Amino acid sequence: MISRQMEVFMQVVESKSFNQAAKELLITPASVMKHMNNLENELDVTLFNRNSQGITLTSAGKSFYKDSKKIADFAQEAVTRAQNIEKNEGINIRIGSSLLDPSSVFTKLWHPYQIKYPQYKFDIVPFEDNHKKILSVFSKLGEKIDIIIGSFNSNSMHQHASYLPLGNYEYCIAVPKSHPLASKKVLSLNDLHNETLMMVKYGDSPVIDKFHDMLSQKHPEIEVKGTEYYYDINTFNKCEQTGTLLLTLDEWENVHPGLVTIPLDQNYKISYGIIYAKHPSEKVKKFIKIVKDEGSLNCKK
């Protein structure tokens, strides 16, 4: 809040040495001396008596130091007052929430930090999962919705929004309850041989494309049927109605009552996190920084 030259000046006075001040400020003694020379030139006042024994303040320097301390203290008080006002009034972050991208994923992670950051309040804004309109939702982030929590592994999504990873969802298989595999607790890819597996079609997600390639090379017995790049509720309806299997995520285990979500026996994962505008507002920038500083809230990996 105070100028760099004034900050250096006060440190020199308190350290009683250019060299010691440089150590405290993590800069070179030459840099400290340059700051002081420039300050004296700008003020047209001699602040220090310099001799072979060291430095002492002139009368003008003593006066300037006394007033500098007052200015620094007042500046800190101003910051504290502003912070307290912000905490009392609250900062609203609007979280988009849908069946496939529920806000509860983040609010559970944020819960331990509510006391530390009481100024943050969250408004839940519902939006519809629709594979035809989802890119429009991302491109308009910042208008009615500030952030969405979800998977962000699509090339086209990267063109419309920014992303902060929080953790990983695990690949699972959604199985109609009437299917013979529905009773299994865990599935291997070998269990899917001679079955039809619906999954995002090839071409937009490097992570999904890699999974496509692996299935093609190592499990050609699985018939892969590509869906749209983005799931919506109709994707799950189709899976249940046709009796086919669906590559899904553990977070979506309760999306459809007619499907059972079964984990795979291998460690296949896909990242999820905070999706926000390409050019976010200052309040969103600050919020994203807090999440980064907290180590992405120590969420599951």
Side-chain angles (χ1 to χ4, degrees), residues 207-262:
V207 177
I208 297 294
D209 289 352
K210 185 176 180 180
F211 195 74
H212 268 285
D213 291 337
M214 184 275 294
L215 291 179
S216 176
Q217 295 167 12
K218 297 184 178 181
H219 299 276
E221 299 88 351
I222 301 173
E223 181 184 353
V224 176
K225 185 174 183 180
T227 69
E228 297 294 338
Y229 288 141
Y230 309 100
Y231 287 1
D232 56 25
I233 192 58
N234 289 327
T235 309
F236 294 84
N237 286 338
K238 188 174 182 180
C239 170
E240 196 272 338
Q241 292 164 5
T242 61
T244 56
L245 310 182
L246 176 69
L247 182 68
T248 187
L249 303 174
D250 57 347
E251 182 60 32
W252 297 340
E253 63 178 341
N254 297 316
V255 165
H256 197 290
L259 301 175
V260 178
T261 299
I262 306 174

Side-chain angles (χ1 to χ4, degrees), residues 99-241:
L99 188 63
L100 299 184
D101 293 320
S103 59
S104 58
V105 174
F106 181 78
T107 53
K108 289 176 183 177
L109 295 173
W110 183 256
H111 181 72
Y113 300 90
Q114 287 179 334
I115 295 177
K116 187 174 181 180
Y117 302 103
Q119 69 270 37
Y120 283 98
K121 316 295 180 184
F122 299 95
D123 293 335
I124 308 303
V125 182
F127 71 95
E128 181 184 0
D129 292 306
N130 184 311
H131 73 269
K132 294 181 179 179
K133 298 180 180 179
I134 191 64
L135 289 180
S136 175
V137 173
F138 292 141
S139 65
K140 293 180 180 178
L141 285 171
E143 294 181 12
K144 296 181 179 180
I145 297 173
D146 293 314
I147 64 173
I148 292 172
I149 312 303
S151 183
F152 193 77
N153 297 275
S154 157
N155 292 330
S156 53
M157 289 169 71
H158 278 278
Q159 297 174 13
H160 294 272
S162 300
Y163 178 62
L164 175 65
L166 292 178
N168 295 291
Y169 292 145
E170 295 182 3
Y171 284 0
C172 296
I173 303 297
V175 180
K177 288 185 175 180
S178 59
H179 195 283
L181 293 176
S183 61
K184 284 185 167 287
K185 300 299 182 183
V186 179
L187 289 172
S188 69
L189 292 177
N190 289 337
D191 291 327
L192 309 188
H193 288 184
N194 303 314
E195 299 286 350
T196 299
L197 177 65
M198 295 170 56
M199 59 184 291
V200 171
K201 62 186 177 182
Y202 198 95
D204 188 54
S205 169
V207 177
I208 297 294
D209 289 352
K210 185 176 180 180
F211 195 74
H212 268 285
D213 291 337
M214 184 275 294
L215 291 179
S216 176
Q217 295 167 12
K218 297 184 178 181
H219 299 276
E221 299 88 351
I222 301 173
E223 181 184 353
V224 176
K225 185 174 183 180
T227 69
E228 297 294 338
Y229 288 141
Y230 309 100
Y231 287 1
D232 56 25
I233 192 58
N234 289 327
T235 309
F236 294 84
N237 286 338
K238 188 174 182 180
C239 170
E240 196 272 338
Q241 292 164 5

